[in-house]
Amino acid sequence: MFASRMLMSSISTNKRMVFDGVNNKVDSGVALGANADLTIGGTIIATATANNNLITGDFDGSTNRRAFFVSVEGGTGKLSVITNGVGAGGGNRFYTFDAVMADGTEHSFEVVYLNGGTLTATVDGVTVTGSGSIATSLYNSGNSISVGSSVSGPGVGGHYTGLLYNILIKVNGTATRYRGYGNQDGDWLDTTGGGKNGVVNGSPEVTYI
């Protein structure tokens, strides 16, 4: 009986949701608000470098309500961030870090944006440099931040392909965390106790690592 319990515990710990790049995502219920400082972190295993491989984002599908995207950049597979202070697509500011994420191995990352236009990142615990432009503030879209897609709420688009877990979303110092060890809503509970539990969209499969 003890061995069986240990086996089940191991399987549960090693289970991961597969983001299929089509319609799988998790809605966080976390919104930015005005003049927000933002931290996005997590662990990924990615291989795809399609242009729309969005790790997380705040965008409702309207050209006038977008705030930020964190992605695996198309072509290069590098960690990339788009910030937007006005909502409209013309306000997008693109920044690429010198860190390849889409190599099929596990990488942890953390991206920190500070209101005023400061953007930094660590990958596998190491600070990485980059280049590009940064918005001086993030648009207050009123959207819920989406995990595994650029689009908040019921919309679809810009979906991530790969594995994505151990998620951190921090807005103005308030953290929301998800383990993400599965494909059910109960696998995406806010472990901080803040009540921002994730809602799984689509019909994702699971895999074991």
Side-chain angles (χ1 to χ4, degrees), residues 115-127:
N115 188 53
T118 300
L119 186 66
T120 58
T122 58
V123 174
D124 299 327
V126 177
T127 300

Side-chain angles (χ1 to χ4, degrees), residues 21-91:
V22 179
N23 64 355
N24 297 337
K25 64 176 181 175
V26 178
D27 289 322
S28 71
V30 179
L32 281 177
N35 302 316
D37 295 334
L38 173 68
T39 299
I40 298 290
T43 304
I44 71 171
I45 300 177
T47 55
T49 57
N51 290 330
N52 289 331
N53 202 9
L54 277 295
I55 296 170
T56 185
D58 182 337
F59 174 45
D60 68 352
S62 165
T63 57
N64 296 316
R65 293 186 64 191
R66 62 186 76 198
F68 81 91
F69 310 103
V70 179
S71 70
V72 176
E73 186 177 62
T76 69
K78 293 181 177 181
L79 180 65
S80 177
V81 178
I82 299 174
T83 52
N84 191 312
V86 298

Side-chain angles (χ1 to χ4, degrees), residues 82-204:
I82 299 174
T83 52
N84 191 312
V86 298
N92 284 345
R93 300 292 179 262
F94 299 85
Y95 197 96
T96 299
F97 290 97
D98 298 322
V100 175
M101 310 295 281
D103 59 4
T105 62
E106 184 179 76
H107 294 287
S108 62
F109 72 93
E110 187 170 285
V111 173
V112 179
Y113 173 88
L114 298 180
N115 188 53
T118 300
L119 186 66
T120 58
T122 58
V123 174
D124 299 327
V126 177
T127 300
V128 293
T129 58
S131 61
S133 59
I134 308 165
T136 56
S137 63
L138 298 179
Y139 180 66
N140 182 10
S141 69
N143 301 327
S144 167
I145 294 172
S146 181
V147 177
S149 171
S150 64
V151 179
S152 307
V156 297
H159 286 78
Y160 173 76
T161 303
L163 306 184
L164 181 58
Y165 45 97
N166 295 333
I167 299 299
L168 165 67
I169 302 172
K170 185 188 293 184
V171 177
N172 292 333
T174 299
T176 300
R177 295 181 182 271
Y178 307 111
R179 292 202 312 165
Y181 293 176
N183 63 347
Q184 303 298 313
D185 290 352
D187 300 314
W188 291 84
L189 299 179
D190 178 6
T191 61
T192 72
K196 299 295 186 181
N197 298 323
V199 177
V200 175
N201 287 248
S203 301

